[in-house]
Amino acid sequence: MTEFRAPVGTRDVLPPESARWERLVAVFAGTVERAGYGLVLSPMFEDVGVFERVGEGTDVVRKEMYDFEDKGGRRVALRPEGTASVVRAYVQHRPTPPFKAWYVAPNFRYERPQAGRFRQHHQLGVEVLGTDDADLDVEVVALAWSVGAALGLAQVTLLLNSLGDDACRPAYLELLKSFLASAALCDEHAGGYEQNPLRVLDCKRDACRSATETAPRLVDNLCEACAAHFARVRSGLDTLGVPYTLQPRLVRGLDYYTRTTFELAAGALDSAQNAVGGGGRYDKLAEALGGPATPGIGFGMGIERLLLACDAEGVFPGPPSAVDVWVVDTAGGGAALALTHELRAAGISADRSFDGRSMKSQFKSADRSGARVALVVGNDELAAGTMTLRDLRGGDQETVARADVVEHVRKLLS
Ligand code: HAM
């Protein structure tokens, strides 16, 4: 018989790793909900056109999209990223701006799998629609920063740039193109830089790296409004004490960005896959999706990468154990069943062994579970109306009246 495996580039997340995911989501939710963001759930697939608007010149759309025709003949695509779906939902439902949303969702990109790069990855993110106030840029960037800090990550660098807008970017692109025309670029970009010259700045190959060292920088060519906006963002970050590094090469992999763009780079990860999060403004995307002109900004953080960075720095461990109490049953019958049920109903986490295993094997399971105490349900105890309670950390044992056992355990655990 064929033994099936998870598809290439995907992974199963099992306990106890999954408990760490839950904790990460809870940290994120706590951080952004305290700032007024509400959870948005959107479909995992959309009309392919929704995602095509994020940039027909990008790898994400051109090469990596899981798009197909459904049984009704509609062209759909699995979500490669979260922003387009939230903006589509905003355009469709027109909630009162500013609309502050957060999400946790799987994304699908047909990429070459490697460490920290998957075909299904998961992002935690926020999006805000309806204001272009620079204070909001500061809020959003600071939220991303504080998620890293809340996890205990110390080796994260915030890279910041401005990509300008329709008023200043076209002239800059012409300037860049004429610079690139006489530069010795890598094979991929030598012939194909004209369509998207900004990509060359992001190219990791040595040829492009050295050829663009003296390339004109967009931050030096911003129009007055974009320069003023960027200055306000920077001074806001300074006010909050959020440290950042200006990175004029930061162009991001999606085409919708305008003005503020940023990335969080984890120093503890291999540089090819060290972005644990990224985002920026996309003031034209709502219009591109058929809505009214509505500025927007947000970021997405990769759950897998965040946890890899935490591993590399030795921070943010998983929760210590799944349950507090393990019920060891040597009597058979219904007593262990009833006790376990009663503990759970009282809000105490409890588990037990099945299949009438030996006492030794049940204690082994109890130890493996990480439970703090074991309650032994044996025939002698049942006859005496008691239970034996064993402290699994220290090894002490005591006898407790059956009627008091739940209250006793509750006190002990608190
Ligand atoms: P992105 O930079 O493509 O931006 O992805 C955001 C984060 O998701 C990355 O920094 C990385 O941590 C993680 N990530 C991306 N692709 C993969 C992958 N193949 N495997 C593992 N992790 C991955 C966006 O998706 C934008 N929607 C972010 C945004 C929100 N911009 C504005 N609002």
Side-chain angles (χ1 to χ4, degrees):
M1 287 271 252
T2 310
E3 188 189 304
F4 292 105
R5 305 185 67 81
V8 174
T10 72
R11 49 196 293 274
D12 302 307
V13 183
L14 307 180
E17 192 193 350
S18 52
R20 203 168 171 225
W21 273 56
E22 281 186 290
R23 245 188 103 198
L24 170 55
V25 175
V27 167
F28 188 88
T31 306
V32 300
E33 286 180 351
R34 274 195 298 280
Y37 292 70
L39 177 66
V40 167
L41 306 164
S42 56
M44 214 175 310
F45 62 92
E46 300 267 359
D47 186 302
V48 73
V50 171
F51 301 120
E52 281 166 355
R53 302 299 188 281
V54 310
E56 274 166 299
T58 63
D59 282 356
V60 170
V61 172
R62 269 192 311 138
K63 300 186 193 159
E64 298 166 1
M65 210 139 63
Y66 277 89
D67 52 340
F68 56 96
E69 199 174 287
D70 75 6
K71 293 188 194 321
R74 301 171 197 88
R75 291 286 312 158
V76 296
L78 300 186
R79 170 176 55 215
E81 61 102 47
T83 310
S85 295
V86 173
V87 177
R88 193 271 309 140
Y90 175 85
V91 167
Q92 181 175 339
H93 303 287
R94 310 282 168 101
T96 312
F99 175 59
K100 298 172 92 173
W102 78 270
Y103 51 86
V104 50
N107 296 282
F108 306 86
R109 299 180 187 179
Y110 194 80
E111 301 202 72
R112 196 167 57 79
Q114 48 195 295
R117 186 170 290 280
F118 304 96
R119 289 189 175 161
Q120 175 176 338
H121 74 276
H122 299 77
Q123 281 187 30
L124 289 157
V126 305
E127 311 293 346
V128 187
L129 285 128
T131 166
D132 63 1
D133 190 324
D135 275 2
L136 176 65
D137 301 38
V138 178
E139 171 177 305
V140 166
V141 176
L143 279 174
W145 178 256
S146 53
V147 169
L151 300 180
L153 288 171
Q155 299 169 42
V156 171
T157 308
L158 169 61
L159 306 171
L160 187 71
N161 194 19
S162 172
L163 289 181
D165 65 6
D166 286 352
C168 46
R169 194 158 40 185
Y172 168 74
L173 292 181
E174 289 312 312
L175 199 64
L176 181 61
K177 273 194 233 171
S178 50
F179 174 88
L180 295 176
S182 55
L185 305 177
C186 75
D187 289 347
E188 182 191 342
H189 289 119
Y193 68 84
E194 296 230 329
Q195 196 199 354
N196 197 341
L198 284 177
R199 284 276 160 274
V200 182
L201 299 180
D202 195 30
C203 179
K204 304 284 184 290
R205 296 186 195 96
D206 290 343
C208 284
R209 282 263 140 187
S210 52
T212 55
E213 236 157 57
T214 54
R217 308 179 334 158
L218 186 38
V219 271
D220 301 328
N221 289 276
L222 295 174
C223 59
E224 223 172 279
C226 285
H229 185 92
F230 197 40
R232 287 205 306 277
V233 173
R234 291 168 58 181
S235 75
L237 290 172
D238 292 340
T239 303
L240 300 189
V242 174
Y244 59 85
T245 304
L246 281 185
Q247 176 48 281
R249 280 177 182 273
L250 182 70
V251 300
R252 311 269 306 124
L254 299 153
D255 275 353
Y256 48 60
Y257 290 109
T258 51
R259 294 192 165 176
T260 312
T261 46
F262 63 100
E263 235 165 59
L264 292 176
L269 294 183
D270 185 55
S271 68
Q273 248 66 248
N274 69 354
V276 290
R281 273 208 166 272
Y282 43 83
D283 291 342
K284 298 286 165 193
L285 186 57
E287 270 172 289
L289 287 167
T294 313
I297 181 168
F299 67 81
M301 303 181 97
I303 293 186
E304 291 85 353
R305 295 231 189 129
L306 280 172
L307 291 179
L308 283 171
C310 288
D311 288 342
E313 287 200 32
V315 296
F316 198 63
S321 70
V323 292
D324 288 324
V325 181
W326 197 271
V327 176
V328 172
D329 177 22
T330 61
L337 188 70
L339 174 65
T340 313
H341 185 75
E342 202 181 317
L343 287 162
R344 291 171 183 167
I348 298 167
S349 60
D351 203 356
R352 52 166 293 191
S353 307
F354 295 98
D355 301 323
R357 295 190 177 274
S358 70
M359 176 127 116
K360 193 170 158 208
S361 145
Q362 293 190 51
F363 268 106
K364 230 189 223 167
S365 304
D367 282 335
R368 212 176 312 125
S369 77
R372 282 179 54 193
V373 295
L375 283 171
V376 184
V377 182
N379 285 323
D380 292 348
E381 283 93 343
L382 284 180
T386 62
M387 306 249 123
T388 301
L389 186 152
R390 188 188 291 184
D391 179 340
L392 290 170
R393 311 269 158 93
D396 293 348
Q397 231 169 249
E398 58 180 316
T399 303
V400 185
R402 170 68 181 89
D404 302 336
V405 79
V406 171
E407 209 32 54
H408 190 87
V409 169
R410 195 205 305 280
K411 275 203 195 110
L412 197 89
L413 294 175
S414 66

